[in-house]
Amino acid sequence: MKKAAKAKAPKARSATSAKVELVSSPTAKPLHPVVPQKDRRLTFGDKWDYAPAPESVPVKIAPRYDLFIDGKFTAPKSGAYFPTVNPATEGQLSEIAQAGPQDVDLAVKSARRAYDKVWSKMPGSERGKYLYRIARIIQEKSRELAVLETMDGGKPIKESRDVDLPLVAAHFFYHAGWADKLKYAFPGRTPRPLGVAGQIIPWNFPLLMAAWKIAPALACGNTVVLKPAETPSSTAIHLSHIFQ
Amino acid sequence: MNIVTGAGETGAALVNHPDLDKIAFTGSTEVGKAIARAIAGRAGSPLPAATLDIANRQRARSDALYPKIPKLTLELGGKAANIIFEDAPLDQAIEGIISGIYFNQGHVCCAGSRLFVQEGIYGKVIRKLRDRIQTLRVGNPLDKNTDIGAINSKPQLEKIKTLVQSGVDEGAELEQTRCALPSKGYWFPPSFLTGVTMSHRVAQEEIFGPVLSVMTFRTPEEAIERANNTPFGLSAGVWTDKGSKIFKIVNKLRAGVVWANTYNKFDPTSPFGGYKESGFGREGGVQGLAAYCRVE
């Protein structure tokens, strides 16, 4: 009797999810143990049905993205590209340039030139204007950036749209405000920029982490060489469109 | 601003470039250590002095005999403790736990991946948590109803599976959302492990996925001791109705960010960064500006 009841339970569950494949790790112990009836539990699973409400894709993803050096998109000296994949579909989104040491050197040299000739000499109020402008453009383009971020990194659109992008813009706005008030941040002392900042960011929040690093660096008068994470790089490149 | 895309080698080329004044890294503790080592080697001095004393060394930079020693900030991994006391508002706390660990599929360095429940409410919390994760919707990230999206990459999915398996092997009990997963893409259902002890891998190592390790405690002192028993120290959460308890606990937690009766709240004005193996330096706020200035 007991045996029969046990055999029945998983069958009933699989009937509701007839078309979909369950992914479970290959272990002897089942990941979803059969639960006795007396354990009261919610079993929404597949029954918790909503009509799908997918976000449209307002962006065009280029088949190939180059490096952003000296304000221009440049093909890598290494000549190498690597594919970037949408983790939700395993489909290839685009190809992204793989920068070699030579490319990095070019980028750092260009950042050094920009620092020596322009950015470090620019008054804070002017730097602030650029940062405010960047923040506003990010707000204007937030929908397409959010969709890109989701396609690239697999995070739900709800989060990229309501958390990531507003915070990205907020970081640029906040640091834009600091750009001409740095003396007040360090009362009685003189803050000076450091120079060229090399920044390496992770894949979990590609845009937000870029904003956390770029905004304060630029506000303080530094120039930046940014290395986005390997898996989701394309939003950072779209960010450089904005900088351009 | 310049952007150089690429994998680890590109990052290494950037870190090893001799003409940088500042290096900021956010990522895994492993790579963070390697970066600190690379820079320390350049300075020709042992690691602790070179990394902790960078602000002072910066002044000697003008001396052309010295190679450039970049100012360094690292924001690395975490294994945050989320502590729930018996007097906490439970439903609010459950929502906090959920957003604390399952936000961005758990790919958050400050994710509340260790849950400490005071023993008196353990049964209640587990029951509520069990019910709550069944309502999480896993699927197409572009769908506006989706709560949990796809795992970022295949290697990451493998890592999560291995660690969860190790937890089960070590005797923890696994509870997962019983939902259908799409056949293509990288997915892992929201999960939590009960019966975890401090020595389990799932209690010590950063999983970086939608997996919560649940443990218990009896007294506030025990909670502090267990919460601090980790190589990391990035963030923590405290849930209680009593304000004085919050202040007492918060001051004893070795974590850069501590949330009270909330979780994963970010603001540009508040500095963010870690203790111990979670790195050093702060991002955001006035402290974040200091990381990009030479203050004279």
Side-chain angles (χ1 to χ4, degrees):
Chain A
M1 282 289 278
K2 238 184 177 178
K3 229 180 180 181
K6 252 190 181 174
K8 236 179 181 179
K11 216 176 180 186
R13 197 175 302 131
S14 63
T16 58
S17 54
K19 274 182 211 157
V20 266
E21 211 179 293
L22 268 168
V23 180
S24 60
S25 62
T27 55
K29 214 173 162 187
L31 282 177
H32 311 290
V34 181
V35 191
Q37 279 296 312
K38 63 178 183 347
D39 276 22
R40 196 176 55 83
R41 285 183 190 190
L42 297 180
T43 50
F44 289 137
D46 317 338
K47 292 170 201 143
W48 191 262
D49 248 355
Y50 285 90
E55 184 77 57
S56 58
V57 181
V59 271
K60 241 189 165 171
I61 298 172
R64 178 175 269 197
Y65 287 109
D66 285 326
L67 309 170
F68 185 66
I69 295 174
D70 225 359
K72 288 185 290 283
F73 290 95
T74 346
K77 288 260 182 301
S78 62
Y81 289 84
F82 62 91
T84 174
V85 168
N86 181 345
T89 60
E90 296 179 52
Q92 184 174 330
L93 282 175
S94 178
E95 262 189 339
I96 291 178
Q98 162 99 44
Q102 273 182 308
D103 302 300
V104 172
D105 190 45
L106 273 179
V108 176
K109 278 191 179 131
S110 135
R112 175 64 61 191
R113 268 199 309 280
Y115 175 77
D116 288 340
K117 293 203 177 123
V118 189
W119 198 248
S120 65
K121 289 183 186 155
M122 192 184 277
S125 53
E126 287 298 310
R127 292 200 303 265
K129 276 187 203 168
Y130 278 95
L131 287 169
Y132 275 124
R133 182 116 183 80
I134 292 166
R136 279 197 296 272
I137 299 175
I138 289 171
Q139 279 189 321
E140 278 164 25
K141 296 194 172 213
S142 69
R143 201 170 98 87
E144 53 186 278
L145 286 172
V147 169
L148 253 182
E149 190 87 326
T150 288
M151 292 174 72
D152 222 5
K155 64 173 66 201
I157 185 76
K158 194 164 79 174
E159 288 171 9
S160 52
R161 182 194 60 197
D162 298 346
V163 181
D164 290 36
L165 263 297
L167 270 174
V168 169
H171 267 269
F172 277 102
F173 275 122
Y174 173 75
H175 287 103
W178 270 124
D180 59 348
K181 305 176 194 70
L182 286 172
K183 275 187 192 152
Y184 299 96
F186 309 99
R189 301 166 82 187
T190 319
R192 298 193 193 288
L194 291 171
V196 178
Q199 306 180 321
I200 303 175
I201 55 169
W203 47 258
N204 56 348
F205 294 97
L207 266 180
L208 185 57
M209 292 297 120
W212 278 26
K213 292 214 179 338
I214 297 170
L218 294 184
C220 293
N222 305 287
T223 51
V224 170
V225 179
L226 180 81
K227 207 286 277 181
E230 184 187 355
T231 34
S233 309
S234 59
T235 39
I237 299 162
H238 278 256
L239 197 63
S240 52
H241 279 289
I242 292 173
F243 279 81
Q244 213 173 16
Chain B
M1 197 195 66
N2 295 276
I3 294 185
V4 285
T5 46
E9 305 92 73
T10 312
L14 183 58
V15 167
N16 289 324
H17 198 283
D19 195 26
L20 288 180
D21 299 288
K22 161 84 190 177
I23 292 177
F25 171 77
T26 299
S28 70
T29 296
E30 196 180 289
V31 178
K33 282 180 179 169
I35 290 175
R37 269 196 295 272
I39 294 169
R42 207 181 306 168
S45 50
L47 175 74
T51 46
L52 297 177
D53 204 19
I54 277 162
N56 289 329
R57 279 159 182 280
Q58 203 67 33
R59 298 218 174 116
R61 200 173 62 85
S62 52
D63 191 341
L65 288 173
Y66 282 95
K68 254 185 193 168
I69 303 160
K71 194 167 172 167
L72 176 69
T73 45
L74 299 174
E75 203 257 89
L76 309 174
K79 189 81 188 165
N82 215 347
I83 305 170
I84 301 200
F85 287 97
E86 280 169 0
D87 56 3
L90 264 197
D91 287 327
Q92 195 187 328
I94 296 291
E95 290 309 306
I97 299 167
I98 295 287
S99 75
I101 180 65
Y102 302 127
F103 179 70
N104 198 22
Q105 296 84 249
H107 300 331
V108 186
C109 39
C110 54
S113 48
R114 292 180 302 155
L115 176 66
F116 290 99
V117 188
Q118 200 159 16
E119 276 186 2
I121 49 165
Y122 180 71
K124 219 170 172 184
V125 166
I126 294 297
R127 203 163 53 243
K128 278 178 186 276
L129 206 55
R130 206 180 258 163
D131 283 354
R132 182 65 178 88
I133 66 164
Q134 297 306 334
T135 64
L136 291 173
R137 297 173 53 79
V138 187
N140 182 5
L142 275 175
D143 194 311
K144 290 167 210 158
N145 294 324
T146 298
D147 295 309
I148 311 284
I151 301 299
N152 189 278
S153 62
K154 202 168 186 180
Q156 187 57 32
L157 180 62
E158 294 306 321
K159 190 186 156 199
I160 297 170
K161 280 185 178 166
T162 320
L163 272 166
V164 169
Q165 192 52 49
S166 87
V168 173
D169 291 344
E170 283 176 318
E173 212 174 296
L174 179 67
E175 180 78 34
Q176 287 185 314
T177 308
R178 290 184 293 278
C179 60
L181 301 176
S183 53
K184 271 216 153 174
Y186 316 127
W187 308 92
F188 198 84
S191 318
F192 67 87
L193 291 153
T194 51
V196 177
T197 70
M198 290 306 295
S199 60
H200 284 177
R201 275 181 76 190
V202 286
Q204 290 294 336
E205 290 177 34
E206 188 177 27
I207 299 176
F208 225 60
V211 185
L212 177 69
S213 306
V214 188
M215 285 162 277
T216 58
F217 68 94
R218 283 182 189 163
T219 62
E221 288 70 33
E222 194 186 352
I224 294 163
E225 198 188 309
R226 302 192 112 195
N228 287 337
N229 182 3
T230 165
F232 301 106
L234 188 56
S235 60
V238 180
W239 298 82
T240 168
D241 217 10
K242 205 165 162 63
S244 58
K245 206 192 264 174
I246 291 175
F247 285 109
K248 193 180 161 199
I249 303 271
V250 160
N251 283 317
K252 288 183 178 161
L253 288 174
R254 300 280 297 156
V257 187
V258 185
W259 287 287
N261 290 335
T262 184
Y263 209 90
N264 273 351
K265 285 271 178 291
F266 301 100
D267 193 281
T269 58
S270 92
F272 184 92
Y275 279 64
K276 299 191 273 187
E277 282 196 15
S278 293
F280 49 83
R282 295 290 179 265
E283 287 180 314
V286 179
Q287 289 86 344
L289 288 174
Y292 287 97
C293 290
R294 183 162 58 245
V295 183
E296 285 165 3

